[in-house]
Amino acid sequence: MTSAPTIDIYAQADILVAAYARAGYARVSPAILQPAEPFLDLSGEDMRRHMYLVTDAAGHEFCLRPDLTIPVARDYLASAASRAAGFCYLGPVFRDRGGTSGEFLQAGIESFGRADTAAADAEALALGLEATTHYGLAEPDIIVGDVALFGALIEALELAPAWKRRLRKDFNRQATLAHDLAGSTLAARTGRGEYEGVLAALANANPKAAHALVTDLLSIAGISTVGGRTIGEIADRFVEQAELGASNALPKHARALIERFLAIAGTPDDAAAALRVLAADAGIALGPTLDLFESRTGFLAARGVDVGRIRFATAFGRGVDYYTGFVFELHDPRRRVAGQLVAGGRYDGLLTRLGSPRPVPAVGLAVWIERLAALGLIGVTP
């Protein structure tokens, strides 16, 4: 690990986070050492591959926090809070990045429990834009997507349940999604012939019971991960193959419609119009999800965001498994630094998966402080 960032970087970032606190987000500082299981189960494969893991004397696995969303969410749940609340933070996160330092500074906000989804999404993006403005970058590239639109499309199609689950999971792994659509079959990725007996035994079982059985067998064998995949994900593969049986082909019309959907891009208004045409042509309803998309655009415009500068793409996802709706990234138009400057989105299912007894709507963002500082734009108008 390298030494912590200089006080000047912290001081400039602290001014930004203080502004978030004045906007109503309570400042918090979650523990650096976190239980590893939530990150292994809920984050994307890319994050899992880069985590710093340690096991204590009792065999419990911990990690240096690779992001702050899950720690803030866990602390919110531990506080037994039942009301809407917003939090902001500033501190280091840790990911193995090869030859560079694995420690870097991150600021951000997390908002829990707000029922006004479209307005909360718009506020998150607006606060992200405040971060780039704070560092002198007034007009970053704005890239936006919506995981929920893809989910609504898949739900509207007449597909086997296993295909629906696979495609929803695939969305945050674009290479995998392209592979499945190109192959139009699920069997090739599981090596069905090797495990025909196991799959036949699971074919008529209750899906939850079958999943629990496979998970238990892998645990007994001492297997925790294979190729970066958790035992839960491996169990999912077995169960979906057992459900499919011989009917494992993706219908051609469904594949064509998905590919047409994934090709839609442009301004939010242009994309909404194209999505309504697609839905009408296919005789499917995207309904409330598309209405929410258009409402969000209205709230963004009301906040002074130039929606004509937003680059929306139906295929855009962030590679993190817990996102469920609106996602966005802000980039330097001149690409002077690699990677996003600010990124975030909606993750309505996360708190339930962390143990909440009730669904909790949630949206947030993270600011890559050192990338913004590296632009050397503080106080300069491009």
Side-chain angles (χ1 to χ4, degrees):
M1 302 286 178
T2 62
S3 60
T6 67
I7 187 64
D8 289 341
I9 294 178
Y10 273 105
Q12 186 69 14
D14 193 66
I15 296 170
L16 171 66
V17 177
Y20 289 158
R22 288 193 299 273
Y25 292 83
R27 190 157 181 173
V28 293
S29 183
I32 288 177
L33 191 65
Q34 294 281 326
E37 184 178 4
F39 296 95
L40 294 171
D41 288 347
L42 303 175
S43 300
E45 291 181 9
D46 184 64
M47 188 179 294
R48 291 198 296 263
R49 284 197 302 269
H50 298 286
M51 287 169 57
Y52 290 100
L53 298 168
V54 62
T55 304
D56 69 9
H60 302 123
E61 199 166 30
F62 292 85
C63 67
L64 299 178
R65 61 190 188 200
D67 81 351
L68 278 147
T69 298
I70 288 177
V72 173
R74 291 182 68 248
D75 287 354
Y76 170 73
L77 291 178
S79 71
S82 58
R83 60 181 179 81
F87 303 97
C88 62
Y89 50 78
L90 172 64
V93 295
F94 305 86
R95 301 180 199 175
D96 182 358
R97 299 186 292 178
T100 61
S101 170
E103 175 183 352
F104 54 102
L105 192 61
Q106 204 166 79
I109 64 150
E110 310 296 341
S111 174
F112 304 122
R114 284 182 59 173
D116 54 342
T117 301
D121 288 350
E123 181 171 304
L125 179 53
L127 291 173
L129 289 167
E130 284 187 18
T132 62
T133 300
H134 177 72
Y135 282 90
L137 183 60
E139 294 189 348
D141 282 345
I142 308 170
I143 305 170
V144 168
D146 194 332
V147 180
L149 282 171
F150 184 74
L153 172 71
I154 298 305
E155 185 59 33
L157 297 177
E158 294 184 2
L159 297 173
W163 261 116
K164 289 188 176 185
R165 287 197 301 273
R166 171 66 67 82
L167 290 169
R168 288 192 192 100
K169 290 179 182 177
D170 279 355
F171 184 77
N172 286 313
R173 306 177 180 93
Q174 292 297 303
T176 302
L177 178 59
H179 181 284
D180 276 343
L181 291 176
S184 297
T185 177
L186 294 179
R189 282 173 56 200
T190 309
R192 186 180 181 91
E194 293 181 54
Y195 309 107
E196 198 69 49
V198 176
L199 295 170
L202 296 175
N204 297 314
N206 175 280
K208 288 185 178 180
H211 187 281
L213 174 62
V214 175
T215 301
D216 287 346
L217 290 173
L218 292 169
S219 297
I220 291 169
I223 298 171
S224 59
T225 60
V226 176
R229 301 186 187 280
T230 67
I231 59 174
E233 290 173 323
I234 298 167
D236 287 342
R237 298 287 175 86
F238 274 100
V239 172
E240 70 187 15
Q241 287 293 311
E243 288 180 346
L244 282 167
S247 301
N248 63 349
L250 178 66
K252 289 183 179 179
H253 73 277
R255 174 185 172 183
L257 190 60
I258 293 168
E259 290 175 340
R260 178 180 168 187
F261 171 90
L262 293 172
I264 293 173
T267 68
D269 290 339
D270 289 343
L275 286 165
R276 292 205 178 275
V277 171
L278 178 148
D281 290 348
I284 61 174
L286 299 179
T289 308
L290 187 49
D291 292 342
L292 175 62
F293 173 81
E294 292 182 310
S295 177
R296 181 190 304 124
T297 303
F299 276 105
L300 285 167
R303 281 189 163 270
V305 177
D306 181 359
V307 296
R309 290 201 310 110
I310 294 176
R311 295 160 47 198
F312 174 83
T314 50
F316 175 68
R318 296 218 52 248
V320 179
D321 289 350
Y322 53 69
Y323 284 121
T324 58
F326 172 64
V327 289
F328 69 91
E329 291 182 355
L330 307 182
H331 290 258
D332 174 27
R334 294 164 61 185
R335 297 299 187 267
R336 286 162 290 181
V337 295
Q340 64 270 25
L341 304 172
V342 181
R346 176 157 294 277
Y347 51 96
D348 286 350
L350 177 62
L351 276 79
T352 302
R353 295 171 71 182
L354 288 172
S356 172
R358 60 182 180 85
V360 179
V363 65
L365 66 88
V367 182
W368 273 256
I369 296 299
E370 283 139 322
R371 291 177 185 173
L372 280 163
L375 292 176
L377 292 171
I378 298 175
V380 177
T381 301

